[in-house]
Amino acid sequence: MLTELYTALEPPTRPLTHPPGDDRNPAEDDCHDCLLVAVDSPGLGLLSYRQPDEEEAASIGDWVIVPVSSRKLVGLVVGLGPPPAGVALKHAIARCADLPSCRPRDLDYIKFVSTYYRRHPGQVVGTMIPAWLRQPAIFEQRATKKGLAPSRLQRLLAKSVPTFRELVMAPQAAQANQAAKEVLPQGPVQLTSQQQAAVNLLIHQDRPTLLYGITGSGKTQVYLSVMSQILNETADSQILLLVPEIGLTQALIQRLASAFPEQTAAVLHSGLADQARAHHWLNAATGRARLVVGTRTAILCPLPRLALVVVDEEHDHSYKQQEGLRYSARDLAVWLADQRGLRLILGSATPSLESRAQVERGRYGLIQLTERATGASPATVQLVDLIREKPIDGLAPAVWTAIEQTLSAGQQVLVYANRRGWAPVLACTACGWQQTCQACHVASVLHKTDGRWRSVCHHCAGISPIPRACPDCGAPELEPIGRGSQRLEAALAERLPEARLLRLDRDAMTTAATLAKALDQVAQGEVDLIIGTQMVAKGHDFPMLALVVVVDADQQLYNPDFRAPEWLLANLVQVSGRAGRHADKKQPGLVLVQTRYPTHPLLQAIATPDPSAREAAWHGLLEDRRAAGLPPFGHLAAIRFSHRDATVAQSKGVELVAYIRSALLASGSSDVSVFPPTPRYPDHQAGRSRWQVFLEASRRADLHAALDTAEDWLAHHRGLESQVEVDPLNFS
């Protein structure tokens, strides 16, 4: 976690201000009109410019349009100083007066993110602000007969700030949400005694607090009650509510519209159209929107009057960005709360081991909700042994029977299969050949779309044709191996022709609006049988869902990653929590978990009715990490690099490790372990051989010092494509 980082990383290794030096032009010693500008352009550092001609002078925190080679870019002024000696500086083109300036604390935040995650400030700035607002053309005003016409940005700023009622009732939202008119308005919700006690404690907490509530315990209603009190405390305070996935935003907006119909709102996620996203961002960054709902990028939006941050499903690894600026939104929320004295609520039914450790250390408060808000009992979990019960079309006979009985009772079934496509592998039964992606050297996934077969790489999205016969032996017996969500859907449709089926995966739900409409159909009982992947495993409340079937619980058991057991346990608890949330206490929901390892301790912990069994499993995982010195008891970084020649990539990795170890030996540092280079998975992608070097340390400051050394070496080896990732989630 990042609560201690602002001290661990001082002094900052990458200051935003122009470093002092003796190479200044003496004639300009008293001139401080040089702008230091951060722009999102690969390979560029902070750029120096003179003030714009015939314009109001720009200050630190202002946005400016600057010339970069033959282009114009929008950048952020992060410092002022005298011009460098002997350099003829260009003038900035214009100050972007209509964009809200960044305050000093926003610049401190940018500096911290840049320093900790080892990225240039320009990349942080580029991630922070929507792409539409970085187009110089939107600032241009055109002359008309009546004078200057408003720019595109000025016209956008003139639009009103929507309320939650307006968001829900907007045409595009109403199309995805057929029940919008039924949602608004509702009367106040009566809290359970546990929920009310949690609200009373959260209001007075002065440190981050983990709200640990079982699935269905009503954590969202606790959030809403705390938010209501915060909004009433101060007339202009802002609240940020983070969710891990776009699919969870629409249902949450409906809840917020019910609780705060007239409150100004902003929604921040990548599923919005570019201009709509820019409008919401401006409303949030100017403080006009008091309630901000978003996915991980929302944590980078500068909110001037932020008072409370809520991180729902705080355990979810979707909060960690896996490309570009590889930050953790949850961890940054912790840092912001610590630096600015904000209230912070971290909510989950399966808290991360990192948060559990912080509770153990006394850095987080802990509030528990142990009962479902509806009064329903937790679902019964049963393990289905696939060794004894041979599956038919991927499902055991007992599972088919349970599905048919549940549908006959007029209730819903969720078949959870966390694999997209028809089958993970297309293989030859005669010689064992498997179709692979030529660029990534991994198996391509067989898909069936509109009746046509295709082979898709889930790493690079490359598409390969399906061969008529085996390329190796010529045999025609090519068969799909394994079952994805498409194949299960086909089997269920064939056996249960009367059931109304809906497949919820990234292939079927291509837009946020499509997903929102589908989820609403499930909630309204217009669907009998759901075939779902990860996107339906958490956060959703389907009143009629009585049975959950986990098709392949063993997938994570094969994963060598040190986090795999934690992910397995959390995933099974989360998906199990979808069943029977509104069921009668005497007839709880049912979860059937198919496995070939029914005696595995983690699966046994899931199936045991006693909650203490699951807590013991969580505690065991935490102790394993402690013994191994792995996060949250140690700190990791990965240096990832690639080259078109695998031999060159490996040899350069060996050189890098030797260089870091030599520097550590010379400095007398023994706290950092540097591991030999290993191939990534997949070991080839887009024609490049991929490798990585891991560093481990008990102190963050020592880890970052070693990364400084590594980056010095990488700067002199331009032939490698490289990136540094701090706090990596996995070993691939």
Side-chain angles (χ1 to χ4, degrees):
M1 295 318 237
L2 305 186
T3 48
E4 74 279 13
L5 291 190
Y6 68 100
T7 53
L9 294 183
E10 291 292 342
T13 58
R14 297 180 178 204
L16 292 187
T17 54
H18 201 293
D22 298 327
D23 57 343
R24 305 299 181 192
N25 186 339
E28 297 178 338
D29 280 346
D30 58 348
C31 176
H32 293 275
D33 64 347
C34 173
L35 307 178
L36 301 173
V37 181
V39 295
D40 185 18
S41 185
L44 294 181
L46 294 180
L47 303 179
S48 298
Y49 294 92
R50 291 195 177 277
Q51 290 282 0
D53 281 333
E54 300 178 2
E55 287 274 348
E56 181 183 346
S59 300
I60 295 176
D62 286 344
W63 298 89
V64 291
I65 300 173
V66 295
V68 179
S69 187
S70 60
R71 299 175 295 162
K72 296 178 183 178
L73 297 179
V74 175
L76 180 67
V77 179
V78 296
L80 299 174
V87 178
L89 294 183
K90 295 180 180 179
H91 287 271
I93 296 170
R95 185 173 71 93
C96 305
D98 294 316
L99 274 182
S101 298
C102 289
R103 293 158 299 280
R105 65 184 182 183
D106 298 325
L107 295 174
D108 288 342
Y109 185 31
I110 293 170
K111 180 167 68 174
F112 173 77
V113 176
S114 169
T115 301
Y116 186 73
Y117 290 109
R118 320 293 297 193
R119 291 296 188 272
H120 188 269
Q123 191 169 7
V124 180
V125 168
T127 309
M128 180 181 79
I129 187 170
W132 193 87
L133 294 174
R134 287 184 278 123
Q135 302 177 70
I138 68 169
F139 301 92
E140 294 175 356
Q141 292 181 286
R142 298 191 178 183
T144 67
K145 292 181 180 179
K146 297 181 179 180
L148 289 177
S151 67
R152 292 162 62 190
L153 177 58
Q154 288 169 337
R155 292 197 298 271
L156 189 63
L157 283 166
K159 293 178 63 175
S160 62
V161 184
T163 64
F164 276 107
R165 178 190 294 275
E166 291 167 340
L167 284 180
V168 172
M169 301 306 292
Q172 64 271 26
Q175 182 181 3
N177 174 27
Q178 301 295 329
K181 293 182 180 178
E182 299 175 18
V183 172
L184 296 171
Q186 292 180 355
V189 176
Q190 184 66 40
L191 298 179
T192 67
S193 58
Q194 276 197 345
Q195 289 175 320
Q196 187 60 62
V199 171
N200 295 340
L201 289 171
L202 286 167
I203 286 295
H204 298 100
Q205 285 282 357
D206 58 357
R207 57 179 171 166
T209 302
L210 176 63
L211 181 61
Y212 180 7
I214 66 168
T215 53
S217 59
K219 292 182 290 296
T220 302
Q221 193 54 52
V222 172
Y223 303 154
L224 297 180
S225 297
V226 174
M227 290 161 63
S228 178
Q229 294 197 40
I230 298 292
L231 291 171
N232 291 332
E233 279 182 5
T234 310
D236 59 356
S237 58
Q238 289 180 290
I239 294 173
L240 174 60
L241 178 49
L242 293 176
V243 292
E245 296 178 3
I246 295 174
L248 298 174
T249 56
Q250 188 59 34
L252 186 55
I253 289 170
Q254 294 173 28
R255 293 286 299 274
L256 290 165
S258 176
F260 312 107
E262 305 306 325
Q263 193 57 260
T264 53
V267 182
L268 299 175
H269 60 69
S270 60
L272 297 171
D274 287 348
Q275 192 165 330
R277 187 177 181 185
H279 184 222
H280 283 280
W281 188 90
L282 287 167
N283 291 334
T286 56
R288 297 189 297 176
R290 296 193 65 193
L291 283 179
V292 182
V293 180
T295 51
R296 59 177 176 259
T297 55
I299 195 63
L300 296 173
C301 179
L303 302 174
R305 291 181 281 277
L306 187 60
L308 168 69
V309 180
V310 178
V311 183
D312 193 26
E313 309 289 357
E314 65 85 25
H315 66 279
D316 198 292
H317 51 264
S318 295
Y319 282 122
K320 181 69 186 292
Q321 172 70 22
Q322 296 298 315
E323 297 176 352
L325 176 65
R326 302 189 174 205
Y327 63 95
S328 166
R330 179 199 63 195
D331 293 355
L332 288 181
V334 174
W335 188 87
L336 277 178
D338 182 74
Q339 291 294 286
R340 301 186 185 178
L342 308 176
R343 292 185 176 98
L344 173 64
I345 302 174
L346 304 165
S348 178
T350 54
S352 63
L353 295 186
E354 285 80 3
S355 293
R356 289 173 180 270
Q358 295 292 61
V359 170
E360 182 183 276
R361 294 164 179 155
R363 294 175 178 169
Y364 291 1
L366 173 65
I367 297 173
Q368 291 184 271
L369 300 174
T370 59
E371 301 171 355
R372 280 184 161 178
T374 60
S377 298
T380 300
V381 180
Q382 297 177 5
L383 303 180
V384 179
D385 186 349
L386 292 182
I387 302 298
R388 295 184 177 181
E389 290 206 43
K390 300 301 180 183
I392 303 168
D393 290 328
L395 299 176
V399 172
W400 280 113
T401 300
I403 291 174
E404 291 165 354
Q405 291 176 347
T406 304
L407 294 177
S408 297
Q411 297 172 309
Q412 290 175 328
V413 177
L414 168 62
V415 177
Y416 176 68
N418 201 24
R419 287 183 184 271
R420 293 188 293 125
W422 186 270
V425 178
L426 179 65
C428 174
T429 57
C431 71
W433 170 89
Q434 294 183 1
Q435 186 161 25
T436 60
C437 172
Q438 296 303 305
C440 301
H441 297 191
V442 295
S444 296
V445 179
L446 186 63
H447 282 251
K448 187 176 184 181
T449 307
D450 298 327
R452 300 178 62 185
W453 295 101
R454 58 184 187 142
S455 185
V456 181
C457 177
H458 283 189
H459 294 276
C460 72
I463 299 176
S464 305
I466 304 298
R468 294 181 178 273
C470 176
D472 283 0
C473 71
E477 294 89 2
L478 298 181
E479 291 189 4
I481 307 298
R483 282 172 173 78
S485 54
Q486 288 182 335
R487 194 175 186 183
L488 282 166
E489 179 188 29
L492 289 161
E494 181 178 358
R495 179 151 177 168
L496 304 166
E498 302 301 320
R500 298 169 295 177
L501 271 65
L502 178 65
R503 177 164 53 87
L504 292 173
D505 60 23
R506 281 194 291 160
D507 298 317
M509 304 290 113
T510 55
T511 67
T514 303
L515 177 58
K517 183 177 181 179
L519 293 172
D520 186 66
Q521 288 176 312
V522 176
Q524 296 304 308
E526 298 171 9
V527 174
D528 302 315
L529 184 54
I530 310 136
I531 301 94
T533 56
Q534 186 68 37
M535 63 171 56
V536 293
K538 54 185 174 293
H540 300 291
D541 186 358
F542 302 136
M544 299 175 62
L545 184 61
L547 172 65
V548 169
V549 176
V550 180
V551 174
D552 182 9
D554 302 335
Q555 189 175 347
Q556 287 289 3
L557 295 178
Y558 312 136
N559 189 339
D561 197 287
F562 75 94
R563 296 186 192 273
E566 177 188 6
W567 290 343
L568 171 64
L569 186 55
N571 203 25
L572 290 177
V573 171
Q574 289 285 343
V575 75
S576 299
R578 302 313 108 201
R581 294 165 72 99
H582 297 265
D584 187 283
K585 262 201 166 185
K586 297 179 181 178
Q587 293 182 320
L590 176 62
V591 180
L592 300 177
V593 180
Q594 295 194 154
T595 177
R596 288 176 173 80
Y597 304 96
T599 60
H600 192 283
L602 289 183
L603 299 181
Q604 285 290 317
I606 291 291
T608 303
D610 185 357
S612 64
R614 293 183 186 179
E615 286 306 303
W618 286 115
H619 181 72
L621 294 179
L622 194 62
E623 290 306 307
D624 289 345
R625 296 272 191 91
R626 192 194 310 270
L630 289 168
F633 303 103
H635 308 295
L636 290 177
I639 304 169
R640 290 175 170 142
F641 53 94
S642 67
H643 195 278
R644 294 197 175 277
D645 188 318
T647 302
V648 171
Q650 183 177 11
S651 64
K652 290 296 183 183
V654 172
E655 289 180 27
L656 171 62
V657 169
Y659 184 86
I660 300 172
R661 288 176 174 171
S662 175
L664 291 172
L665 185 63
S667 67
S669 174
S670 60
D671 181 61
V672 182
S673 299
V674 186
F675 297 93
T678 56
R680 298 183 62 187
Y681 179 82
D683 59 7
H684 278 75
Q685 191 167 353
R688 300 185 69 87
S689 177
R690 297 163 15 115
W691 290 75
Q692 58 192 353
V693 168
F694 281 95
L695 284 71
E696 182 183 37
S698 59
R699 295 178 64 248
R700 293 185 191 273
D702 292 338
L703 182 66
H704 279 267
L707 291 176
D708 287 339
T709 299
E711 289 180 342
D712 288 342
W713 186 90
L714 291 169
H716 293 88
H717 293 79
R718 301 291 186 181
L720 292 179
E721 287 185 4
S722 63
Q723 60 191 11
V724 174
E725 181 171 3
V726 178
D727 301 334
L729 274 185
N730 52 57
F731 284 164
S732 60

